[in-house]
Every structure is written in C-alpha cells, then in structure tokens.
C-alpha cells in the first residue's frame, strides 16, 4: 500500500486543501518528466559516436563538427532563462509538452538534413526544445518536493542522465553501424520517446499553478541571446578565420560586452525580468551560478570529444566507442545516486560539491596525459574519476540555489544556474573545438616531418583537406600519424579544461552551506489539471 510522502513533499505543508502526495504518486508524476529528460539528453548523446561519420558524409570539417554540437548548446543556453521565467508565469506541464514538440520538429529536420548548414539549423531548433526540458525538469521537481527531500528524487534525475548517456552512444553506434538504418535514424529515434513522454505527462503530472497578469521580458530575452550568440561565433572562428588579436575580435567581444551591459540595464528596470538581478545578491546563488559556468566546460567537453578520441585515435567503431565510455557513466551514476540519498538523509550538500570539484579537476588532468596508445585501463580509470566528480556536482549546484528562494522565484533561479552551465558548455565546446583542430594540425605536421621524405610524399593523404579523416582509406604510416595526432589533440583539450574545473572547485569552497529545508517556503496554489 502506498505510504504518505516524507514531510516536506508538496501537499504536506500547503495552506490549501490538497491531499498529501504519496511516494508512488510522486514517482508516477515524475515518470513523464524523466522520460522527457531522457529525450533531452539522448538528443546529444545518441549522435556523439555518429558525428565523425555524419560530418564526413555531409562533407564538413572540424568546424562543422563543433558547430553541430554548439548550435544545440547555443539555442539551449539562450532560451533557458526564457523557459525559466515562463515557468513562473504559466502552466509548467504545458511548457514541458511544448518543448517536447519543438524538440521533435528539430529532430525530424535534422534527420532530413542534406548538408552541414541545414543540419546545424535543425540542431538550433532542437536546442530550443532541449533548453525547455533541461530547465523545466529541475523546476517541476522543485515545485513538488521540498529541498530536503529533493535530494532523494534528484537521484532519479542522475540515474536518467546516466542511462541516457550510456544508452545514447550505444544506440547511436548500433544505428550507425546498421546498414539498413544509417545515421539519420540517430535523430529520428528520439521522436517516439518524446511523443510517449507527452502522453505520460498528460496522464500523470499535476502541479501548482499561479494565475496572475503576465508580462514577458522579450527585450531581455533578445539581448541575452544576442550576447551569447556573438560570443560563440567569436570563439569558434578566432584563430582560424581571423587572429585572436584582430579587429574582428575587438568588434565581436566589444559587441557582446555592450549587449551584456544593455541586458543588465534592461533587467534592472523590467517589471518581470527574465533573469532577476536581485537573485545574484544572494552569495550562494551567485557562486553556484559561476561554478556551473566552469563545470559546464568540463561536462560538455567530456561528452563531445571522447567519440573523436576512441574512433579517430584508437580506431574503434561507433558502437565500441559508446561501450568504452562506460567507466565515466558508471562513476556518474553511482555518485549522483549515492550523493542524492545521503543529502536527503543529512540535509548537507557542500562536502559533495567540494569533493566533486576536486575529482573533476583530477580526472581532466589525468585524461590530459593520455595518447592514442595509452593502455585502456588507465583511460578508463581517469574517466571514472571524472564521472564521479560530475555526478556529485551537476544536480547539487541547482539544489543549493533552489534552497535559497521562494516558490515564486523557483523557475528563475533554476534556469539561471542551468543557463550558466549551458553557457560554459557552449563556450567551452566552441573554444575547445577550435583548439582541437589547431592542435591536431600541429601534431600531424610534426608527425609528417618526423617521417622525412616518405611523409612528404604522402602529404595530407586521407585528411579530406582538413575534414574528418577516413582512417580506413589512409595508408600506413600516415594512419599512425593521424591517430597519434587525434590522441594527443584530444588530450590537450582535456588538459586545457582542467583549470576551469579548478576554478569551479575554488568557488564551491566559498559557498556558505545552508541546511536544506524540510518544507517549502511559499504557500502553494491549487494544482493544475
């Protein structure tokens, strides 16, 4: 028989006559949400191991490879604050369903893409939907459950993240390696899950809704989107199409700073700001947001560049590339689940953030030493350390920020922390993708020079003029040169990521711990139907 949920779960402390929610009701209500979250994560992980082949088939290079990932992160980052504000004003369930529809439309367009440009445009649409799902998952959970009990249920989010991160690359690899399917089904496969999530949400999810006059800060949304977009374009092309120290850099960075300043000005005067600046007067929220910015660099670089390492440096198939990332995902699954349950039991979360930051820094540093011929067990151990750290930090940074605000600001603060994490990921992937292309070129030139006259005769054989190489078509010893170049280049990317993780660690040390509340701060309005 279902038992009443622990104290602090919505319903137990409401001033309204709503019956308490049992644990079973909560799990049922979360089922559609978790399925939607699974879809959001799947959208990026399912194509991870297929990207080298996708970009090769569409005739793109390293820049296109990076932008296929960055486009989703860009639109996800730019729209996250808007989704958060909308969640404070409208039906959260309806917003989740709309985001699933947008995601499905983008997925279908991506699967039909005929060139890198159309694929990138479709990924922008996908990112808008994923931004909604990423922001709303935390918001919906917080609307139902008190901060103290939320740690327990956050473990389910962590498990969902781990499942999608494990299953996505494997599924994408199998699809890509299956002749009668092909990589286009990596995009189509998420659509049925999205539709199923919509159906389950309609049947199971019931949330508080506050009916009041609304006013959307469209100017603020435009300014923050423009500022982020300009920064990403600059980071992606700097050092490739123009020098880092150039008039283009000055114009783009100056423009982004000006747009950012305009955003702050508008937000300080808006009646319904998309990102209320007063929230950042709280030390915990400000530091958690900044820490999320730097954690985002580590999190997304790990998921994006491992596929290139395993496929282009170690010659693994897309399927095996997914299998070889198991240690990182296992570490993430274990730490997110265990930390969530222990945080619920104790109400204390800071030690997990600090330990997680230390493990992320250590894991990235270890990965920075790998090469194409490094023993796999060493790589696996390094990935496990990184995964353990990520599992302790990701959800708990949002949790400690949510603990500081009332229900009326829940959407804004949740989306703010998620926004900075996505921003860090987007900027990190763009910059690190550019660095990877530069480092691979450098290592290839060094390797060819070491081959002497034989290397000069081979030239850039198999490199597709700077594109993603087809190693099967590359003769020895050039193949070894390319494998060594990608192994060393990806390691360089992880090494450059480590200082960002260290900054996140330092920031978490200065966050003041406030024990998680056993109750929600505000009164809860009647539930949505």
């Amino acid at each position: 028989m279902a038992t009443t949920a622990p104290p602090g779960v919505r319903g137990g402390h409401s001033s309204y006559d709503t019956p308490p929610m049992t644990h079973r009701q909560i799990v049922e209500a979360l089922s559609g949400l978790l399925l939607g979250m699974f879809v959001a994560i799947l959208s990026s992980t399912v194509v991870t191991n297929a990207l080298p082949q996708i970009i090769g088939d569409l005739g793109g290079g390293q820049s296109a490879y990076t932008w296929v990932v960055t486009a989703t992160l860009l639109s996800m980052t730019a729209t996250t604050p808007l989704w958060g504000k909308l969640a404070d004003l409208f039906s959260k369930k309806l917003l989740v369903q709309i985001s699933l529809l947008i995601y499905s439309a983008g997925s279908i367009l991506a699967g039909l893409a005929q060139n890198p440009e159309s694929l990138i445009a479709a990924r922008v649409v996908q990112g808008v939907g994923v931004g909604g799902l990423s922001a709303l998952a935390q918001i919906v959970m917080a609307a139902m459950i008190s901060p103290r009990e939320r740690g327990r249920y956050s473990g389910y989010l962590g498990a969902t993240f781990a499942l999608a991160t494990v299953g996505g690359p494997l599924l994408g690899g199998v699809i890509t390696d299956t002749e009668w399917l092909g990589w286009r089904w990596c995009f189509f496969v998420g659509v049925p899950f999205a539709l199923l999530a919509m159906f389950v949400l309609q049947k199971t999810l019931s949330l508080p809704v506050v009916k009041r006059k609304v006013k959307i800060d469209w100017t603020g949304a435009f300014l923050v989107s423009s500022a982020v977009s300009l920064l990403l374009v600059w980071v992606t092309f700097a050092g490739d199409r123009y020098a880092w120290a150039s008039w283009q850099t000055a114009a783009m960075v100056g423009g982004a700073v000006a747009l950012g300043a305009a955003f702050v000005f508008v937000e300080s005067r808006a009646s319904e700001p998309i990102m209320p600046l007063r929230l950042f007067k709280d030390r915990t929220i400000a530091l958690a947001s900044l820490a999320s910015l730097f954690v985002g660099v580590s999190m997304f670089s790990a998921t994006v560049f491992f596929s290139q390492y395993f496929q282009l440096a170690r010659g693994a198939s897309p399927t095996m590339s997914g299998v070889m990332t198991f240690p990182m995902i296992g570490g993430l699954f274990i730490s997110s689940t265990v930390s969530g349950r222990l945080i619920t039991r104790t109400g204390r979360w800071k030690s997990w953030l600090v330990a997680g930051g230390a493990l992320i820094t250590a894991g990235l540093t270890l990965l920075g030493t790998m090469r194409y011929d490094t023993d796999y067990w060493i790589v696996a151990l390094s990935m496990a350390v990184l995964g353990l750290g990520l599992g302790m930090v990701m959800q708990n940074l949002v949790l400690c920020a949510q603990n500081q605000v009332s229900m009326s600001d829940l959407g804004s603060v949740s989306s703010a922390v998620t926004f900075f994490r996505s921003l860090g990921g987007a900027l990190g992937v763009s910059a690190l993708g550019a660095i990877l292309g530069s480092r691979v070129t450098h290592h290839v030139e060094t390797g060819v020079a070491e081959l002497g006259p034989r290397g000069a005769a081979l030239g850039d054989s198999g490199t597709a003029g700077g594109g993603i190489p087809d190693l099967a078509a590359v003769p020895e010893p050039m193949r070894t040169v390319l494998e060594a170049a990608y192994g060393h280049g990806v390691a360089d990317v992880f090494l450059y990521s480590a200082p960002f993780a260290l900054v996140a660690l330092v920031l978490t040390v200065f966050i003041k711990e406030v024990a998680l509340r056993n109750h929600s701060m505000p009164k809860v309005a009647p539930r949505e139907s």
Side-chain angles (χ1 to χ4, degrees), residues 14-259:
S14 172
S15 62
Y16 295 86
D17 295 327
T18 55
M21 293 181 70
T22 66
H23 172 68
R24 178 177 177 178
Q25 288 173 326
I26 295 170
V27 172
E28 287 177 350
L30 287 177
S31 59
L33 180 68
L34 294 177
L35 187 56
M37 194 65 185
F38 178 81
V39 166
I41 301 165
L42 193 71
S43 69
S44 59
T45 61
V46 76
V47 300
T48 299
N49 291 325
L51 269 180
Q53 183 173 329
I54 293 172
I55 299 303
D57 287 352
L58 295 180
Q62 183 64 48
S63 178
Y65 185 103
T66 302
W67 264 103
V68 167
V69 177
T70 305
T72 303
L73 291 176
L74 167 61
S75 54
M76 179 174 72
T77 302
T79 58
T80 293
L82 181 58
W83 285 111
K85 174 51 66 177
L86 291 174
D88 287 335
L89 305 177
F90 297 108
S91 163
K92 298 173 183 64
K93 179 165 78 172
L94 179 61
L95 290 172
V96 174
Q97 291 173 318
I98 290 173
S99 63
L100 285 166
L101 276 178
I102 295 172
Y103 162 82
S104 299
S107 299
I108 293 170
L109 291 173
L112 298 174
Q114 299 300 313
N115 52 59
E117 292 75 20
S118 59
L119 177 58
I120 290 169
R123 294 283 285 175
V124 170
V125 177
Q126 259 192 324
V128 175
V130 172
L133 294 169
S134 300
L136 293 167
Q138 295 283 355
I139 295 167
V140 168
M141 181 174 287
M144 296 172 57
I145 308 163
S146 73
R148 181 66 175 268
E149 283 298 319
R150 207 172 300 148
R152 174 188 183 188
Y153 294 98
S154 290
Y156 297 145
L157 275 181
T160 301
F161 185 92
L163 178 62
T165 311
V166 171
L170 273 177
L171 181 60
V174 170
I175 290 172
T176 304
D177 289 337
T178 303
E179 227 176 280
W180 54 275
L181 286 175
W183 59 261
R184 295 183 185 278
W185 278 93
C186 289
F187 299 105
F188 296 145
V189 73
V191 177
F193 288 104
L195 298 177
L196 177 60
M198 289 181 63
F199 174 78
V200 174
L201 283 166
Q202 186 60 37
K203 292 290 185 181
T204 62
L205 187 60
S206 181
L207 294 173
V209 61
V210 179
K211 296 187 181 297
R212 60 188 176 95
K213 188 177 180 180
V214 299
K215 185 177 181 181
I216 305 300
D217 178 22
W218 296 111
T219 304
F222 170 77
L223 288 171
V224 72
S225 302
S226 301
V228 170
S229 301
L230 198 54
L231 272 179
L232 286 176
V233 171
W234 165 63
V235 168
T236 301
F237 295 126
D240 179 17
R241 301 192 180 183
Y242 46 80
W244 286 95
S246 63
W247 69 265
Q248 291 96 332
T249 289
M252 290 187 182
V253 174
V257 170
L259 288 167

Side-chain angles (χ1 to χ4, degrees), residues 26 29 50 137 181-182 202 240 242 255 259 279 283 326 378 384-385 409 439 451 470 491:
I26 295 170
L181 286 175
Q202 186 60 37
D240 179 17
Y242 46 80
L259 288 167
L279 293 176
R283 174 176 161 184
F326 269 20
I378 297 176
V385 172
D409 286 324
R439 298 303 296 164
L451 291 177
D470 180 5

